[in-house]
Amino acid sequence: MGITERKEREKAEMRRRIVDAAIDMFVAEGYEKVSIRNIADKIEYSPATIYLYYKDKDELLYDVQAEAFQRLADHFRTHVVSEDPLERLHQLVMSYLDFAREYEELYDLMFIIKAPMNTVENEDKWDNGEDAFGQLRDTVGACVEKGLIRFTDHMIATLSVWAFAHGFISLNLRCRINIAELNEENIPIIMRQSVQHYLDTIKV
Amino acid sequence: MGITERKEREKAEMRRRIVDAAIDMFVAEGYEKVSIRNIADKIEYSPATIYLYYKDKDELLYDVQAEAFQRLADHFRTHVVSEDPLERLHQLVMSYLDFAREYEELYDLMFIIKAPMNTVENEDKWDNGEDAFGQLRDTVGACVEKGLIRFTDHMIATLSVWAFAHGFISLNLRCRINIAELNEENIPIIMRQSVQHYLDTIKV
DNA sequence: AAATATAATGAACACTGTTTATTAAATCCA
DNA sequence: TGGATTTAATAAACAGTGTTCATTATATTT
């Protein structure tokens, strides 16, 4: 009975088509401009059809987010290559900044906007970020373990590094850093200097 | 000719009424649930009337934001009272965390959501945050000046402290810190510990 | 080939921000 | 004071949103 298998495959293909269209539009035009109708237009189906494959927009965004987190994890795997833990940490944080700058709209979806993370309530809730976060945790963990940075608690160390980078990125993405009377060209420089300074400061 | 003056006063009063209604609804129900129609309902006017006093929703949100920033500045003035620069810095950062927790939706409007800061393009663009930011800058500045923290550049120091706190707050507000397999009760504790650790780390 | 199950859709609902033509009220001027 | 004029408020509409549902078209099964 290969029909049910084929149907399942077709269903998966359709979901892929929807997610691909959605993520393309996100990267190109940003969260605000992506509507169900736009996506439906792009894949040449009626808006109602999307609701045969996703129960609502949040469920779709959840898949888009999963894809985005996978790309971040891949980004890390490509750029975090050193054997030295401190060097690895440096590469990881800097490639995090790079990712945020290259894919602003994905970063937005992953870490800033409200939907869908706080609405989706299934058991494997955080599988999305697990991979990328795991790499951060392992890298920071190695530094703590070997006494290379001024932390004793793994979680505090990991969250601190993440929060520091995210704080700069999100204040910048939302144009709040400008409150400090900085012009736009200076911001990336100041950001890198600040992150560099932070990494220097936490070194033993 | 007191009529034009009275008219101006009435216009200002109407704007106040609109902003007050809006900010009340923000605090109570959050950004998502506040629509022009809701505000109009609350002040018992037609939606179209609001457009006689604000050219669009962004312009209204800008005023709401200004009010929110003023409240943060007042919050600082109340809680940042020590003469010792390091103690002041501690009080400021901790009261920032408090403010974010007590007025989540205001914090959202001020630092996280997209509108209206990146759309409003008038000259006195950042007057909104100037007061609160000024207090942060002065406090951090005093610490740098007296060689109490491991920074030489004032701006880097100020932005670093801010970004660190904001990073934790916003990751928490958007439920991203949960990626680290933490349950909700632990997060405020971990946040305070991390911030405390950070302030300890930057001390000379 | 007819009956049944599945897939896709057009049209509608309730909402959003915003604009415009119309009505009501206040002010001005003779 | 009474009529003309300016100002204020609104109802209704437009184009957009997410979402649902009855209806139609297409596969699959018998």
Side-chain angles (χ1 to χ4, degrees):
Chain A
M1 202 46 87
I3 287 181
T4 57
E5 284 177 5
R6 197 206 67 215
K7 292 236 166 179
E8 251 176 66
R9 201 175 56 238
E10 282 175 351
K11 194 140 193 164
E13 277 166 11
M14 188 61 162
R15 285 173 70 106
R16 245 289 44 99
R17 221 171 305 151
I18 295 170
V19 170
D20 283 348
I23 207 163
D24 282 356
M25 297 172 74
F26 269 113
V27 172
E29 311 178 69
Y31 178 70
E32 239 97 86
K33 294 200 175 170
V34 179
S35 70
I36 297 288
R37 280 174 175 81
N38 292 152
I39 299 169
D41 266 11
K42 185 143 189 171
I43 61 172
E44 296 176 295
Y45 277 85
S46 121
T49 303
I50 290 178
Y51 287 87
L52 299 177
Y53 298 89
Y54 288 98
K55 85 173 222 288
D56 55 23
K57 199 184 179 187
D58 270 2
E59 200 179 273
L60 165 56
L61 289 191
Y62 188 76
D63 268 13
V64 173
Q65 201 179 48
E67 171 71 26
F69 269 108
Q70 210 160 315
R71 293 193 189 182
L72 175 59
D74 289 343
H75 188 82
F76 281 162
R77 274 184 279 274
T78 307
H79 294 93
V80 184
V81 294
S82 173
E83 298 290 333
D84 176 57
L86 271 181
E87 178 70 17
R88 275 187 81 82
L89 180 59
H90 188 269
Q91 289 175 343
L92 188 135
V93 174
M94 288 308 173
S95 66
Y96 189 68
L97 296 185
D98 288 343
F99 184 89
R101 199 149 73 124
E102 194 163 349
Y103 306 103
E104 291 193 0
E105 298 295 347
L106 288 191
Y107 191 91
D108 205 349
L109 178 82
M110 293 158 78
F111 297 110
I112 302 185
I113 68 171
K114 239 165 186 164
M117 274 205 150
N118 46 347
T119 53
V120 179
E121 295 284 2
N122 43 355
E123 55 282 358
D124 52 1
K125 198 175 171 183
W126 305 112
D127 278 13
N128 270 359
E130 261 309 302
D131 192 0
F133 180 77
Q135 294 186 60
L136 167 66
R137 189 188 50 212
D138 294 348
T139 303
V140 173
C143 292
V144 175
E145 211 71 50
K146 301 201 169 156
L148 299 170
I149 54 179
R150 302 146 71 88
F151 285 99
T152 51
D153 186 283
H154 282 226
M155 193 52 78
I156 287 179
T158 304
L159 291 181
S160 293
V161 171
W162 182 19
F164 190 86
H166 170 72
F168 266 101
I169 291 167
S170 58
L171 284 177
N172 183 38
L173 275 182
R174 291 297 192 257
C175 305
R176 300 309 202 264
I177 269 185
N178 288 351
I179 294 179
E181 302 130 9
L182 292 171
N183 45 355
E184 275 195 45
E185 303 95 76
N186 287 345
I187 292 171
I189 299 167
I190 282 253
M191 265 179 68
R192 295 187 92 83
Q193 285 180 345
S194 301
V195 169
Q196 184 61 64
H197 181 277
Y198 177 70
L199 293 176
D200 287 343
T201 305
I202 63 175
K203 267 185 215 160
V204 289
Chain B
M1 205 45 85
I3 287 181
T4 56
E5 286 177 4
R6 198 206 65 214
K7 292 236 167 179
E8 251 176 65
R9 202 176 55 239
E10 283 176 350
K11 194 139 191 162
E13 278 167 12
M14 188 62 163
R15 283 174 71 107
R16 250 277 57 92
R17 220 171 306 152
I18 296 171
V19 170
D20 283 348
I23 207 164
D24 282 356
M25 297 173 73
F26 270 114
V27 172
E29 309 177 70
Y31 178 71
E32 238 97 87
K33 293 199 175 172
V34 179
S35 70
I36 297 288
R37 280 175 176 81
N38 294 151
I39 299 170
D41 266 12
K42 184 142 190 172
I43 61 172
E44 294 176 295
Y45 277 85
S46 119
T49 303
I50 290 179
Y51 287 87
L52 299 177
Y53 298 89
Y54 289 98
K55 85 173 223 288
D56 56 21
K57 199 184 179 186
D58 270 1
E59 199 178 273
L60 165 55
L61 290 190
Y62 188 76
D63 268 13
V64 172
Q65 202 179 47
E67 170 70 26
F69 269 108
Q70 210 160 313
R71 293 193 188 183
L72 175 59
D74 289 344
H75 188 83
F76 281 161
R77 274 186 279 273
T78 307
H79 294 92
V80 184
V81 294
S82 174
E83 296 292 334
D84 177 58
L86 271 181
E87 178 70 15
R88 274 186 83 80
L89 180 59
H90 189 269
Q91 289 175 343
L92 188 135
V93 174
M94 288 307 175
S95 66
Y96 189 68
L97 296 185
D98 288 344
F99 183 89
R101 199 149 74 124
E102 194 163 350
Y103 307 103
E104 291 192 2
E105 299 294 345
L106 288 191
Y107 191 91
D108 205 350
L109 178 81
M110 294 158 76
F111 297 111
I112 303 184
I113 68 172
K114 237 166 188 165
M117 274 205 151
N118 44 348
T119 54
V120 179
E121 295 282 2
N122 43 355
E123 56 283 359
D124 52 1
K125 199 173 170 184
W126 305 112
D127 278 12
N128 270 0
E130 259 311 300
D131 192 0
F133 180 77
Q135 294 186 59
L136 167 65
R137 188 188 49 211
D138 294 348
T139 302
V140 173
C143 292
V144 174
E145 211 70 49
K146 301 200 170 155
L148 299 170
I149 55 179
R150 302 146 70 88
F151 286 99
T152 51
D153 186 283
H154 283 226
M155 192 52 77
I156 288 179
T158 304
L159 291 181
S160 294
V161 171
W162 182 20
F164 191 86
H166 170 72
F168 267 100
I169 291 166
S170 58
L171 284 177
N172 182 38
L173 276 182
R174 291 297 192 255
C175 305
R176 301 310 203 262
I177 269 185
N178 288 351
I179 295 179
E181 302 130 8
L182 292 172
N183 46 353
E184 275 195 46
E185 302 95 76
N186 287 344
I187 292 171
I189 300 167
I190 282 252
M191 265 179 67
R192 294 187 92 82
Q193 285 180 344
S194 301
V195 169
Q196 183 61 62
H197 181 276
Y198 177 70
L199 293 176
D200 287 344
T201 306
I202 63 175
K203 266 186 217 159
V204 289

